[in-house]
């Protein structure tokens, strides 16, 4: 078990290094001069040239990457070209709202999806099963921006029940919780379809296994067999899918945060790219990619706890 954990952690390190390299190179091919952005539109060519020398932009690419790694080792992500604020400080402010959105999304969508998928497997080929399957297909097919616009129209304009612009405050406040509902619903609806389908398939496979037939032979009810035996063994593929989907949710969170003006990592990254704030964009991309890699590592370790066969 210890060797497996050490192996997974060791494999993650080159992936994180690759993320660093790709993120750094992507920012180098952007058709924008960071020195010109920092100097402003009215700056002379001499001022821009002096800033390029000060920022090290005239050095060779490998040397700039080495300097970038040295900065990261000190915990320094650079400074914004727009407001000269530390990138780490701005990212720290955006991580909290993004974590709130992701957590709220998972808290409502995963239990609902697992319950619907299990019920569909329990009532296989019934009207309820077909309705749940159609719902899952629709949820997986609809783009996140369409769901967001529909939620704004219904919940914000038509019913006028919930705010749909900005973050009202921390989630433990009434205003903060109200402003979180529509973005969390939008992002969670995208996850719902995939988890419903994998849960239904995994529970159906588990219901045909030998240990489930033994449980039925002992006289247990079908509902008890489904919940206590089939669903427990179906958790492994469900956990795997949810972990993988979290990475895709990061991409969906970008659109969701823009639609609802949510001050998270995705909106910060898009604003930094559109304003040619390369240090800010580079830091945001690095944090988002690292979150994706570390989430996959956490899923692998969680599978180790759920599946005893991996520990052998």
């Amino acid at each position: 078990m210890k060797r497996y954990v050490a192996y997974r952690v060791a494999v993650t390190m080159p992936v994180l290094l690759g993320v660093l390299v790709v993120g750094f190179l992507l920012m180098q091919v952007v058709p924008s001069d960071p020195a010109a952005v920092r100097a402003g539109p009215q700056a002379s060519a001499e001022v821009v040239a002096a800033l390029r020398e000060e920022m090290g932009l005239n050095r060779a690419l490998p040397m700039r990457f080495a300097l970038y790694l040295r900065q990261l080792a000190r915990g320094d992500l650079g400074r914004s070209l727009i407001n000269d604020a530390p990138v780490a400080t701005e990212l720290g402010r955006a991580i909290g709202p993004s974590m709130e959105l992701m957590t709220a999304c998972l808290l409502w969508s995963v239990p609902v999806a697992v319950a619907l998928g299990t019920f569909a497997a329990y009532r296989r080929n019934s009207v309820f099963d077909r309705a749940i399957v159609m719902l899952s297909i629709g949820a997986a097919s609809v783009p996140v921006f369409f769901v967001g616009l529909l939620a704004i129209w219904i919940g914000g304009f038509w019913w006028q029940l919930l705010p749909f612009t900005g973050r009202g405050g921390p989630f433990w406040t009434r205003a903060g919780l109200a402003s979180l509902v529509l973005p969390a619903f939008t992002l969670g609806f995208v996850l719902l379809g995939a988890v419903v389908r994998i849960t239904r398939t995994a529970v159906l496979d588990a219901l045909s296994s030998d240990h489930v037939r033994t449980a039925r032979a002992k006289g247990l009810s079908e509902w008890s067999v489904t919940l206590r035996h089939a669903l427990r063994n179906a958790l492994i593929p469900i956990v795997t899918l949810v972990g993988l989907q979290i990475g895709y949710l990061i991409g969906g969170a970008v659109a969701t945060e823009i639609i609802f003006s949510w001050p998270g990592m995705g909106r910060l990254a898009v604003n930094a790219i559109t304003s040619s704030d390369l240090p800010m964009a580079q830091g945001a991309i690095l944090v988002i990619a690292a979150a994706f890699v570390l989430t996959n590592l956490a899923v692998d370790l969680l599978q180790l706890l759920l599946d005893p066969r991996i520990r052998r």
Side-chain angles (χ1 to χ4, degrees):
M1 179 176 176
K2 292 181 180 179
R3 284 187 299 176
Y4 177 81
V5 173
Y7 169 74
R8 295 306 305 169
V9 173
V11 169
T12 302
M13 294 300 106
V15 176
L16 289 175
L17 180 60
V19 167
L20 283 174
V21 174
V22 173
F24 178 80
L25 292 178
L26 281 176
M27 291 299 101
Q28 305 310 309
V29 300
V30 174
S32 176
D33 187 355
V37 174
R38 171 166 287 183
Q42 305 299 326
S44 63
E46 291 77 10
V47 173
V48 174
L51 276 176
R52 286 185 60 82
E53 184 66 31
E54 179 185 340
M55 297 169 66
L57 298 176
N58 294 329
R59 299 181 182 182
L61 190 62
M63 179 61 69
R64 282 152 57 188
F65 182 65
L67 293 174
Y68 176 63
L69 290 181
R70 190 172 69 178
Q71 281 185 337
L72 287 181
R74 299 197 307 262
D76 182 11
L77 296 176
R79 303 186 74 87
S80 170
L81 299 179
I82 304 301
N83 56 14
D84 200 35
V87 171
T89 302
E90 296 296 315
L91 292 178
R93 293 173 182 168
I95 287 177
S98 289
M99 291 296 296
E100 284 183 13
L101 180 59
M102 296 285 291
T103 303
C105 157
L106 294 173
L107 284 178
W108 86 262
S109 62
V110 173
V112 170
V114 171
L116 290 176
T118 304
F119 185 72
Y122 174 71
R123 301 292 300 271
R124 182 181 182 182
N125 296 327
S126 67
V127 176
F128 298 101
D129 180 26
R130 294 188 179 93
I132 292 172
V133 170
M134 290 178 61
L135 173 65
S136 67
I137 294 174
S141 304
V142 178
V144 63
F145 70 87
F146 179 79
V147 179
L149 294 176
L150 194 62
I152 290 174
W153 177 55
I154 295 176
F157 285 105
W158 190 6
W159 291 345
Q160 297 183 358
L161 293 176
L162 297 166
F164 53 86
T165 302
R167 177 172 176 254
F171 67 91
W172 57 82
T173 63
R174 183 175 180 180
L177 187 60
S179 64
L180 184 60
V181 172
L182 290 182
F185 171 79
T186 299
L187 193 58
F189 192 79
V190 178
L191 178 65
L192 188 72
V195 179
V196 166
R197 286 185 295 168
I198 195 65
T199 302
R200 180 181 181 274
T201 302
V203 172
L204 285 176
D205 289 342
L207 286 173
S208 61
S209 60
D210 293 336
H211 75 281
V212 170
R213 284 195 290 267
T214 302
R216 289 195 182 102
K218 291 179 179 179
L220 297 177
S221 65
E222 189 66 22
W223 188 239
S224 177
V225 168
T226 302
L227 289 180
R228 296 177 56 186
H229 297 275
L231 180 59
R232 183 177 180 181
N233 285 274
L235 286 178
I236 297 174
I238 295 172
V239 169
T240 303
L241 177 70
V242 171
L244 294 175
Q245 288 293 317
I246 289 176
Y248 295 105
L249 283 179
I250 295 174
V254 174
T256 304
E257 289 176 2
I258 292 174
I259 291 172
F260 291 96
S261 298
W262 191 261
M265 291 291 300
R267 185 165 176 256
L268 178 66
V270 172
N271 290 340
I273 293 172
T274 55
S275 60
S276 298
D277 191 351
L278 300 189
M280 187 69 71
Q282 196 167 348
I285 292 172
L286 173 63
V287 171
I288 291 173
F292 180 81
V293 173
L294 294 177
T295 298
N296 286 335
L297 175 62
V299 170
D300 289 338
L301 298 181
L302 185 57
Q303 284 181 323
L304 186 66
L305 298 176
L306 294 176
D307 193 349
R309 295 171 294 182
I310 300 178
R311 296 197 290 267
R312 301 190 187 124

